[in-house]
Amino acid sequence: MLRELGPAPKPASFSEEQVEEARRAQVEGEWENVLERFPDAQRPDVAFIRYLADDERAQVMVDCLVDRGVDAELSLSGNEVSSSSPPEQEQADAVSHFECRVQFPVRPWPPLTAEQLGYLFDYLEGFTAPCLEAHGNPQPAAPTREFFIENWPQQNWFPGPSLEIMGTPEGSAIEQACPVTPPGFN
């Protein structure tokens, strides 16, 4: 199926001004997320340091959080940050997460185009979902391609391993065998 898809469509582009505007919007969204859980939280004054590359994101975030006293570590896959907080420390840890995301965000990208979303749907339906099913992870029926595109990112369908095996060696192996991102897709 991958050969039939052809090359991934080119993403839209952002000017540097649009990148900065999107970064600032991300910061505000991150703080709103903190306030939803902790309305009395005090917003720290924290400066942007640099954008992270995908291959360093998780490790830099773990290091940043640990430097702030958060009990954080890399997940088994090495691609995600795992942390837990005792109830009395949840607010402080949420603020620390905010600080680290502000200092070390991933560079904002323009929204996916309809062409990109169609390509992603074709990949997920034609490769990822069947691969997951072949590995014993039944997937819900896909919506129509048009529905997926029109309702992104609230399309309520995205193939993935079952929650029971996420973060386990078995789950990591399945994620490696059945990637959810098409090769060359950004």
Side-chain angles (χ1 to χ4, degrees), residues 12-151:
S13 61
F14 262 175
S15 68
E16 287 306 310
E17 183 177 282
Q18 290 170 312
V19 170
E20 180 59 16
E21 184 179 313
R23 185 191 68 78
R24 288 183 181 166
Q26 283 177 342
V27 168
E28 294 309 313
E30 293 285 351
W31 187 247
E32 288 300 317
N33 289 339
V34 172
L35 289 179
E36 282 179 21
R37 290 185 58 212
F38 306 104
D40 297 332
Q42 297 297 307
R43 184 173 178 159
D45 185 20
V46 60
F48 164 77
I49 295 177
R50 68 179 175 89
Y51 292 116
L52 298 179
D54 284 340
D55 63 345
E56 68 175 338
R57 180 186 59 82
Q59 186 62 60
V60 170
M61 292 304 291
V62 166
D63 294 345
C64 180
L65 291 167
V66 168
D67 287 348
R68 287 173 168 71
V70 176
D71 182 19
E73 61 188 15
L74 288 176
S75 65
L76 289 174
S77 69
N79 297 324
E80 299 297 325
V81 177
S82 174
S83 67
S84 61
S85 306
E88 66 275 3
Q89 197 173 326
E90 285 180 354
Q91 181 172 322
D93 287 0
V95 171
S96 293
H97 278 266
F98 168 78
E99 291 174 315
C100 292
R101 287 188 196 112
V102 169
Q103 289 182 314
F104 303 107
V106 174
R107 184 179 177 86
W109 293 97
L112 296 174
T113 65
E115 186 179 17
Q116 286 178 295
L117 289 169
Y119 186 90
L120 177 61
F121 175 85
D122 294 343
Y123 175 81
L124 293 171
E125 183 187 47
F127 173 74
T128 304
C131 179
L132 290 164
E133 289 177 356
H135 283 85
N137 283 261
Q139 299 297 302
T144 65
R145 189 176 196 266
E146 293 74 24
F147 181 89
F148 183 88
I149 293 168
E150 289 172 14
N151 292 283

